[in-house]
């Protein structure tokens, strides 16, 4: 009985994984063959694959410029998230007047979608003179409330006696965060890096609003412009899509161990 | 500490990617003269002299003529500094015929390439609309 459920579970997981991977496989296959996506019956295996659609995507659009813009914005977002979220998470581990209301305010703010605040965000960015700039692109992504709570949860798991011992040794609060809290919170750091990178890398709506020049386009914006200019270019379009997705997937694969550890770190407490 | 950083899989993967990119760019720098060489033959396989070969741009929205060259006594043609990564070639000669349009796909702009298959002039092949009697616009 036990082995039957074991096999059944694995078969179910393999089937679900297959369903999840089919779209990715289809995009990669079409990027190598350029076949008509409406062809029937569809070819399951690539016929006459070649990499030249990737060459087309590289040269038909300023891919390197768009890539650089996305890298700059994502880097700024990651660094800002690490600093701001770590400091905010550490503050939330302390007892202070109104802490409960602050947490309530943060949690309730998470329920407000970005689309509802996009007009004031645009007006503030304009008044700061940051329209059409890398800083303006990255500014709304400088901190995410959910990532603050990821740090908070990680810092709460550190024994208070360790912090007390550090204070007795004369460490300031800044050095306690830098020397003790952060080194013991590597899964939380990895989670912050992965999610802030993915969210800023794939962001489309905010760049669409504030970018004015083609030179400042990020990759998702460039992809939509590519689609609108060249409608019947399936191979090049899918190749561009793969080139946009690849860095995010690479970052996740490299840091997934830490990411999963962070997600499950509280699961077996007590 | 240094060993831990160097043996980290992120360092290995990203370092390998960086090395591959550098090596590829070094290779490109040494092979980007834009030389495209090929041969024109007739249906019997004999090289054709003074055949006109038209190179047209192969892009998503245009087929502009890039350059026009003439084959030499051995039937060879040569384009220099073509500055494109995808082209369409077609050869023609009065009294002999026209070749089919051949797509030439390269891995990067200005890649040096020698075509492995010759352009075959066939009297039954119609001249394509992109072949112009005027000089190339390169």
């Amino acid at each position: 009985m036990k082995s039957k459920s074991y096999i059944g579970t694995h078969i179910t997981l393999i089937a679900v994984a297959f369903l999840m991977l089919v779209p990715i496989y289809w995009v990669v296959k079409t990027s190598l063959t350029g076949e008509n996506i409406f062809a029937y019956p569809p070819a399951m295996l690539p016929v006459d694959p070649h990499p030249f659609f990737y060459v087309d995507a590289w040269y038909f659009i300023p891919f390197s410029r768009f890539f650089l813009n996305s890298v700059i914005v994502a880097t700024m977002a990651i660094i800002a998230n690490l600093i701001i979220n770590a400091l905010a998470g550490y503050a939330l581990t302390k007892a202070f007047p109104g802490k409960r209301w602050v947490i309530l305010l943060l949690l309730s703010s998470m329920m407000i979608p970005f689309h509802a605040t996009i007009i004031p965000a645009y007006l503030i960015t304009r008044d700061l003179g940051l329209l059409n700039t890398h800083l303006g692109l990255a500014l709304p992504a400088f901190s995410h409330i959910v990532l603050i709570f990821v740090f908070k949860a990680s810092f709460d798991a550190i024994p208070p006696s360790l912090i007390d011992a550090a204070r007795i040794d004369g460490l300031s609060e800044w050095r306690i965060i830098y020397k003790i809290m952060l080194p013991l919170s590597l899964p939380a750091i990895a989670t912050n890096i992965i999610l802030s990178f993915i969210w800023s890398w794939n962001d489309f709506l905010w760049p669409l609003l504030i970018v004015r020049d083609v030179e400042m386009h990020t990759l998702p914006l460039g992809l939509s412009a590519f689609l609108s200019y060249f409608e019947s270019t399936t191979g090049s379009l899918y190749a561009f899509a793969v080139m946009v997705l690849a860095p995010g997937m690479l970052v996740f694969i490299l840091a997934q161990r830490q990411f999963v550890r962070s997600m499950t770190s509280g699961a077996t407490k007590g | 500490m240094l060993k831990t950083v160097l043996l980290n899989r992120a360092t290995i993967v990203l370092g390998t990617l960086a090395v591959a990119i550098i090596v590829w760019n070094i290779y490109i720098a040494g092979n980007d003269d834009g030389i495209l060489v090929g041969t024109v033959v007739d249906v019997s396989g004999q090289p054709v002299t003074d055949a006109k070969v038209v190179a047209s741009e192969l892009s998503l929205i245009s087929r502009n003529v890039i350059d026009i060259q003439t084959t030499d006594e051995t039937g060879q043609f040569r384009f220099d500094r073509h500055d494109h990564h995808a082209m369409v070639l077609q050869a023609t000669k009065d009294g002999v015929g026209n070749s089919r349009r051949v797509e030439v796909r390269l891995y990067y702009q200005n890649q040096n390439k020698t075509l492995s298959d010759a352009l075959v002039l066939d009297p039954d092949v119609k001249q394509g609309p992109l072949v112009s009697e005027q000089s190339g616009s390169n």
Side-chain angles (χ1 to χ4, degrees), chain A residues 51-53 55-56 59-60 226 230 233 236 250 253-254 256-257, chain B residues 9-10 13-14 17 58-61 85-86 105-109:
Chain A
F52 296 115
F53 289 118
V55 181
D56 288 344
Y59 284 114
F60 286 149
F226 186 86
F230 309 117
T233 56
S236 303
L250 180 65
I253 289 171
L254 288 175
Q256 64 171 336
R257 193 195 309 169
Chain B
R9 64 176 167 173
V13 169
L14 297 177
L17 277 174
L58 176 62
S59 75
L60 297 173
I61 55 174
H85 69 281
R105 296 275 207 163
L106 305 172
Y107 289 103
Y108 53 92
Q109 281 182 351

Side-chain angles (χ1 to χ4, degrees), chain A:
Chain A
M1 192 59 146
K2 202 173 178 183
S3 61
K4 274 189 186 173
S5 65
Y6 185 75
I7 293 171
T9 303
H10 273 72
I11 290 174
T12 305
L13 289 173
I14 290 171
V16 172
F18 177 77
L19 284 174
M20 295 292 116
L21 289 173
V22 162
I24 297 174
Y25 166 75
W26 206 263
V27 168
V28 174
K29 179 178 76 76
T30 308
S31 73
L32 294 173
T33 61
E35 64 191 69
N36 187 344
I37 59 174
F38 300 110
Y40 186 82
M44 299 305 295
L45 295 175
V47 176
D48 189 25
H50 59 82
F52 296 115
F53 289 118
Y54 288 88
V55 181
D56 288 344
W58 180 268
Y59 284 114
F60 286 149
I61 49 135
F63 182 87
S64 53
R65 176 68 198 188
F66 293 171
F67 183 81
L68 178 65
N69 290 336
S70 286
V71 167
I72 292 172
V73 171
T75 303
M76 294 167 74
I78 288 171
I79 293 171
N81 267 277
L82 286 175
I83 295 172
I84 295 173
N85 296 346
L87 294 176
Y90 183 66
L92 290 178
T93 62
K94 304 297 174 192
F96 57 88
K99 174 182 172 180
R100 187 164 162 265
W101 294 105
V102 169
I103 291 178
L104 197 61
L105 182 66
L106 289 173
L107 287 173
S108 57
S109 300
M110 284 172 61
M111 298 182 198
I112 304 172
F114 177 67
H115 308 82
T117 60
I118 207 158
I119 293 175
Y122 177 85
L123 294 174
I124 291 171
T125 307
R126 182 199 63 187
D127 292 343
L128 290 172
L130 294 178
L131 290 179
N132 209 37
T133 63
H134 291 114
L135 183 57
L137 282 168
L139 196 56
F142 268 18
S143 180
H144 295 278
I145 298 173
V146 66
L147 297 179
I148 293 175
F149 283 98
V150 168
F151 265 121
K152 178 184 180 307
S154 182
F155 291 162
D156 280 338
I158 296 172
S161 54
L162 200 61
I163 303 170
D164 293 337
R167 284 208 187 92
I168 291 170
D169 286 340
L171 262 64
S172 65
E173 295 296 324
W174 295 103
R175 288 178 69 84
I176 288 174
I177 295 173
Y178 180 66
K179 292 282 189 186
I180 296 174
M181 310 297 278
L182 286 179
L184 294 175
S185 303
L186 290 180
I189 292 174
T191 303
N192 268 260
I193 290 173
I194 290 173
L195 292 181
S196 59
F197 175 84
I198 290 174
W199 288 337
S200 64
W201 188 268
N202 293 333
D203 193 13
F204 172 72
L205 180 59
W206 183 245
L208 179 67
L209 279 177
I210 77 164
V211 167
R212 296 287 177 268
D213 302 326
V214 174
E215 290 293 306
M216 286 301 297
H217 276 194
T218 56
L219 281 174
L221 207 51
L223 180 60
S224 73
F226 186 86
L227 176 61
S228 63
Y229 288 148
F230 309 117
E231 290 183 359
S232 58
T233 56
T234 309
S236 303
L237 176 65
Y238 278 55
F240 190 3
V242 171
M243 290 158 79
V244 172
L245 290 171
M249 293 173 73
L250 180 65
V251 167
F252 182 79
I253 289 171
L254 288 175
Q256 64 171 336
R257 193 195 309 169
Q258 298 288 355
F259 179 75
V260 171
R261 195 180 299 170
S262 169
M263 292 292 109
T264 58
S265 61
T268 55
K269 268 202 186 140

